[in-house]
Amino acid sequence: HSSGNQVGIASDQHIRLHDLRTMKCTTVLDNAHTQTVRDLDFNPNRQYYMATCGDDCATRFWDTRNCSQPLLSFFNHSHWVWKVRYNLRDQLLLTGGSDSKVVLLNVASLASTDPATEDEEEEGEKEIDHNKEQMREGVLEEYDKHEDSVYSVAWSTADPWLFASLSNDGRLVLNKVSKEIKFSIIL
C-alpha cells in the first residue's frame, strides 16, 4: 500500500492484509474470487480501497474496513485477468488478461476527489457542476494490440495518461488514454 504500512498477500482465492507496524494480519478475505487471485492494487488516494483480479475473469473492488462483499465487480475479460493497476487519478484503472486484451475502466463512484484540487476544497464545500456530463462506469476502452496473454500493465510516472502493457510473446505496447476521456475527466 502507498502508505507503506500495509501489505496484501494473495493465495488461491484468498487475500490477507498485514500491518507491518504490528506484524499482524488485519484482514482476511476468504473466497475473494471463485478461482485463483492473480493480482491486487491499493488505491493511491483512498487508503482503504483495493482492487483485485483473478482467474474467474473478474475485477473486484473492496473497502478493506468491511470486506463482507465487494463494492463493485466487473467481468470485462473472457479469460484470466493477470494484472490490475490504479492510475494516480484513481477513477481510472487498467487490467490485462490472458485474452490478449488491456481494458481501461472507469470507477468514478469509488474515486477520491481530483488530486490537483483536493487541498483547495474544504470538506462539505465542494462545488458540483450539474452540467458536466458524467462518464459511464465500467469499460471505457479496450486495447487489442497484443497477440498473446497480457501479463503486465503499468501507468507512466511522468505522464498520467500514458501506459504500457507487456505480453507473453515479449511485445511491449505503449498507449495513451484518448483525448475524449482525458478531457471529460479534467474539464
Side-chain angles (χ1 to χ4, degrees):
H1 185 261
S2 62
S3 70
N5 295 324
Q6 191 172 19
V7 64
I9 302 166
S11 175
D12 295 323
Q13 298 100 334
H14 318 293
I15 297 169
R16 297 174 61 95
L17 303 178
H18 290 266
D19 187 327
L20 297 177
R21 296 167 294 191
T22 63
M23 301 306 284
K24 293 185 179 174
C25 180
T26 57
T27 306
V28 176
L29 282 84
D30 283 323
N31 299 311
H33 287 261
T34 58
Q35 296 179 25
T36 302
V37 177
R38 291 289 172 185
D39 194 26
L40 58 92
D41 193 25
F42 289 95
N43 184 316
N45 302 319
R46 295 187 81 181
Q47 67 178 348
Y48 298 110
Y49 282 47
M50 175 180 66
T52 63
C53 63
D55 288 359
D56 56 1
C57 307
T59 304
R60 297 204 167 128
F61 298 87
W62 305 89
D63 182 337
T64 61
R65 297 167 295 186
N66 178 10
C67 298
S68 59
Q69 64 182 3
L71 300 171
L72 284 175
S73 294
F74 294 109
F75 295 87
N76 46 291
H77 286 271
S78 61
H79 209 253
W80 302 343
V81 187
W82 281 92
K83 201 57 114 175
V84 61
R85 283 294 172 262
Y86 272 102
N87 186 302
L88 183 58
R89 291 186 175 272
D90 58 349
Q91 80 181 70
L92 295 179
L93 228 93
L94 288 174
T95 60
S98 56
D99 57 0
S100 306
K101 286 193 310 189
V102 174
V103 176
L104 177 65
L105 290 171
N106 175 34
V107 289
S109 65
L110 302 178
S112 63
T113 58
D114 183 354
T117 62
E118 193 169 57
D119 294 334
E120 299 169 9
E121 298 174 342
E122 292 295 322
E123 200 63 38
E125 296 180 10
K126 297 176 183 172
E127 290 186 28
I128 299 172
D129 183 358
H130 296 286
N131 295 324
K132 184 177 179 179
E133 183 179 323
Q134 295 294 317
M135 281 193 312
R136 70 186 181 282
E137 191 105 326
V139 176
L140 293 176
E141 288 189 300
E142 292 184 357
Y143 305 88
D144 58 357
K145 302 290 185 196
H146 292 281
E147 296 175 7
D148 207 343
S149 298
V150 177
Y151 286 107
S152 189
V153 293
W155 290 99
S156 168
T157 57
D159 180 352
W161 310 107
L162 180 67
F163 61 91
S165 53
L166 179 66
S167 58
N168 191 43
D169 59 5
R171 179 180 285 185
L172 175 69
V173 177
L174 297 176
N175 276 303
K176 277 195 152 203
V177 174
S178 72
K179 288 180 182 180
E180 293 80 19
I181 293 172
K182 177 181 175 179
F183 292 142
S184 69
I185 291 172
I186 62 176
L187 297 179

